[in-house]
């Protein structure tokens, strides 16, 4: 296998495709951040000629400089070059002109002017950041919520913080961006406001986007209002759960039990009034996992999660009632084609009730058919499918023909000598 620093001869398609996939994936994982100036319509048309080679992005270590891959050989070596946006545009897109390039550079650099960052960790500072910062459903004053205080204070249990950025040039130190972060996992959730600066600042601080489930088991402070759990709105589908043994509240990704806590009650956290949704969770009769009442499946007066239901049951294709897989019967059906062509044959899985009332099993092959596919034989009083009936009738006819030929003895055999 070759070493990337010892490439000899032209690159293969696989080598080029491999490095292009790697660079594309880095954008998907937000290891790279796209340069907004390159998305301007007049710039994008020009940049598209270099996109699959350069993969230009904001330099993580030297922002607001940009980084790009000069050639495909550099791409295979995973080598990038950093330089200022103005020099990049002048070198590769001179047709934009000096005035347009200067405008793009000023817009780009303005995104990376000096901003201060901090992480709020206590209930009071967390709720203050929400109320003084970017507008959202959880950014209102206390009177907006039923508990009569901003419920984001419940994030201050020790596992979660709020990474925020403010403009030091403003007298009131205006907060321009915030995001919920898991302090131990170094993961962050949905960014509110100033996303380009925030993404760069978070990457420099060592944080990465929540890959799905990295806030699982993050502790939440507990409080109730009129017997209902107080809870802020959770992004990314997380739910509020309670440990059945200690009563500790935590964030949960699903209805299943947590590895860290013995999950008891679970609530949806998609309300903006400061309370968890009153509709709680029900228990699957088979696996005992919690299931939201809107996601339950019912069969024989029992309730199931989706997985357990389909592991055990299916819908009868005749009456649509649930029936256990072991209790189904395969029924053969047939209909004339609408265009007058050959008859269409197919099979369906029916419950025993439908099969016993509307289908009959062939006495020869034991396969079940609906009424139109079964015939009664006058010779032995048995019922058979059309195919077996035809075979049986042919056998009877051949037997009768053979008997007739045996009885027809030539007259000459008995003539006098």
């Amino acid at each position: 296998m070759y070493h990337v620093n010892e490439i000899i001869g032209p690159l293969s398609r696989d080598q080029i495709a491999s490095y292009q996939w790697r660079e594309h994936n880095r954008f998907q994982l937000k290891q790279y951040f796209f340069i907004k100036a390159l998305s301007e319509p007049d710039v994008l048309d020009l940049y598209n000629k270099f996109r699959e080679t350069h993969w230009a992005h904001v330099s993580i270590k030297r922002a607001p400089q940009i980084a790009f891959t000069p050639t495909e050989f550099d791409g295979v070596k995973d080598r990038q070059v950093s330089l200022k946006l103005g020099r990049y545009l002048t070198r590769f897109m001179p047709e934009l002109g000096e005035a347009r390039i200067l405008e793009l550079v000023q817009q780009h650099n303005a995104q990376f002017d000096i901003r201060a960052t901090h992480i709020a960790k206590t209930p009071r500072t967390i709720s203050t950041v929400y109320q003084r910062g970017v507008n959202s459903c959880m950014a209102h004053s206390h009177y907006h919520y039923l508990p009569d205080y901003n419920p984001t204070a419940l994030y201050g249990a020790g596992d979660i913080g709020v990474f925020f950025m403010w403009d030091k040039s403003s007298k009131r130190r205006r907060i321009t961006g915030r995001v919920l972060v898991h302090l131990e996992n170094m993961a962050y959730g949905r960014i509110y406001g100033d996303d380009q600066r925030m993404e760069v600042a978070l990457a420099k601080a060592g944080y990465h986007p929540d890959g799905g489930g990295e806030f699982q088991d993050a502790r939440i402070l507990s409080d109730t209002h009129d017997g209902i759990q107080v809870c802020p709105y959770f992004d990314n589908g997380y739910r509020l759960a309670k440990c059945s043994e200690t009563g500790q509240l935590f964030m949960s990704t699903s209805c299943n039990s947590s590895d860290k806590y013995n999950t008891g009650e679970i609530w949806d956290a998609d309300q903006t009034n400061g309370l968890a949704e009153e509709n709680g969770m029900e228990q699957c009769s088979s696996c005992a996992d919690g299931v939201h009442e809107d996601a339950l499946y019912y069969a024989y007066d029992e309730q199931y999660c989706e997985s357990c239901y389909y592991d055990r049951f299916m819908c009868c294709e005749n009456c649509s009632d649930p029936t256990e897989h072991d209790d189904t019967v395969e029924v053969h059906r047939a209909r004339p084609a609408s265009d007058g062509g050959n008859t269409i044959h197919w099979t369906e899985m029916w419950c025993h009730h439908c099969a016993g009332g509307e289908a009959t099993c062939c006495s020869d092959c034991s396969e079940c058919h609906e009424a139109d596919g079964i015939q009664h034989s006058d010779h032995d009083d048995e019922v058979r499918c059309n195919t077996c009936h035809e075979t049986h009738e042919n056998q009877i006819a051949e037997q009768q023909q053979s008997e007739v030929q045996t009885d027809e003895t030539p007259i000459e055999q008995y003539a006098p000598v």
Side-chain angles (χ1 to χ4, degrees):
M1 183 176 180
Y2 70 89
H3 191 277
V4 292
N5 291 321
E6 300 174 354
I7 298 175
I8 300 175
L11 299 175
S12 68
R13 290 184 179 180
D14 288 343
Q15 288 174 312
I16 296 173
S18 178
Y19 107 77
Q20 290 179 340
W21 177 88
R22 183 196 67 223
E23 297 298 285
H24 172 76
N25 197 44
R26 285 172 175 173
F27 278 102
Q28 296 296 107
L29 297 175
K30 292 193 174 180
Q31 296 173 358
Y32 285 171
F33 303 118
F34 190 70
I35 302 163
K36 289 188 175 180
L38 298 182
S39 64
E40 295 286 333
D42 58 330
V43 184
L44 184 59
D45 289 339
L46 299 172
Y47 174 63
N48 281 337
K49 295 185 294 184
F50 311 100
R51 178 193 294 271
E52 293 188 354
T53 300
H54 287 183
W55 300 96
H57 57 278
V58 177
S59 174
I60 300 300
K61 296 181 179 180
R62 298 185 178 89
Q65 288 190 20
I66 71 166
F68 73 103
T69 303
T71 67
E72 291 177 340
F73 279 92
D74 293 305
V76 174
K77 295 177 182 179
D78 198 7
R79 175 179 174 268
Q80 292 80 34
V81 173
S82 297
L83 76 170
K84 294 181 178 180
L85 177 63
R87 291 185 60 189
Y88 177 83
L89 295 176
T90 301
R91 178 178 172 184
F92 294 102
M93 306 173 209
E95 52 266 68
L96 288 172
E98 291 185 8
R100 179 56 172 154
I101 290 175
L102 178 60
E103 180 185 2
L104 292 168
V105 169
Q106 290 174 342
Q107 293 175 359
H108 175 75
N109 290 342
Q111 300 176 67
F112 300 95
D113 55 7
I114 298 175
R115 294 291 167 98
T117 61
H118 190 65
I119 300 178
K121 300 177 182 179
T122 65
R124 182 175 179 178
T125 55
I126 288 175
S127 61
T128 299
V129 169
Y130 270 86
Q131 293 175 80
R132 289 181 52 189
V134 183
N135 187 38
S136 73
C137 61
M138 288 288 108
H140 304 294
S141 301
H142 64 93
Y143 60 81
H144 186 85
Y145 306 101
L146 293 177
D148 200 29
Y149 66 87
N150 190 298
T152 58
L154 300 187
Y155 284 131
D159 292 341
I160 296 174
V162 178
F163 186 102
F164 65 99
M165 176 180 289
W166 74 85
D167 184 356
K168 295 201 304 184
S169 64
S170 64
K171 293 182 179 180
R172 296 187 59 192
R173 294 190 174 184
R174 182 176 61 89
I175 295 173
T176 60
R178 62 169 164 79
V179 63
L180 213 62
V181 295
H182 194 292
L183 300 173
E184 182 179 353
N185 295 344
M186 301 294 286
Y188 66 86
R190 175 185 174 185
I191 296 176
Y192 286 82
D194 220 349
D195 56 341
Q196 187 87 14
R197 290 190 188 94
M198 288 284 289
E199 287 175 345
V200 173
L202 286 161
K204 286 184 175 180
Y207 284 88
H208 62 273
D210 177 13
E214 295 191 63
F215 281 81
Q216 172 72 31
D217 297 338
R219 292 175 298 161
I220 304 293
L221 295 174
S222 179
D223 191 18
T224 60
H225 173 76
D226 290 341
I228 304 173
Q229 289 291 337
V230 178
C231 179
Y233 174 87
F234 289 170
D235 286 312
N236 302 330
Y238 284 100
R239 291 187 170 98
L240 180 67
K242 178 188 286 188
C243 176
S244 59
E245 297 173 354
T246 65
Q248 173 68 60
L249 294 182
F250 60 93
M251 296 176 70
S252 177
T253 57
S254 67
C255 304
N256 300 327
S257 295
S258 162
D259 292 335
K260 185 175 181 180
Y261 299 105
N262 186 14
T263 307
E265 296 177 87
I266 301 178
W267 300 266
D268 283 340
D270 56 4
Q271 302 298 302
T272 59
N273 59 7
L275 302 179
E277 187 176 355
E278 292 187 64
N279 293 330
M281 312 298 289
E282 300 290 339
Q283 194 174 55
C284 172
S285 299
S286 180
C287 67
D289 279 347
V291 186
H292 192 276
E293 60 180 9
D294 293 336
L296 285 171
Y297 290 77
Y298 297 91
Y300 304 130
D301 298 326
E302 298 286 354
Q303 56 193 24
Y304 299 90
C305 66
E306 182 178 15
S307 176
C308 290
Y309 177 85
Y310 284 109
D311 281 345
R312 182 175 174 182
F313 301 98
M314 64 165 291
C315 289
C316 170
E317 293 183 87
N318 187 51
C319 68
S320 299
D321 285 345
T323 182
E324 296 193 55
H325 290 294
D326 294 340
D327 290 336
T328 56
V329 178
E330 185 179 53
V331 177
H332 293 259
R333 305 192 67 183
R335 289 289 184 275
S338 58
D339 58 0
N342 295 330
T343 301
I344 301 173
H345 297 267
W346 76 98
T347 60
E348 292 180 351
M349 302 305 293
W350 288 11
C351 63
H352 269 293
H353 177 75
C354 290
E358 302 179 38
T360 304
C361 289
C362 171
S363 60
D364 284 2
C365 67
S366 300
E367 291 182 348
C368 289
H369 295 256
E370 60 181 338
D372 292 342
I374 289 291
Q375 295 191 47
H376 180 268
S377 174
D378 294 330
H379 297 98
D380 57 7
D381 204 29
E382 295 286 352
V383 290
R384 295 178 176 84
C385 65
N386 291 336
T387 301
C388 291
H389 177 78
E390 182 178 355
T391 300
H392 175 72
E393 292 298 309
N394 288 338
Q395 291 174 346
I396 295 297
E398 291 175 0
Q399 182 180 354
Q400 291 176 341
Q401 181 65 29
S402 175
E403 292 175 353
V404 168
Q405 292 177 351
T406 302
D407 291 341
E408 290 179 352
T409 305
I411 298 178
E412 291 82 0
Q413 179 178 345
Y414 303 101
V417 179

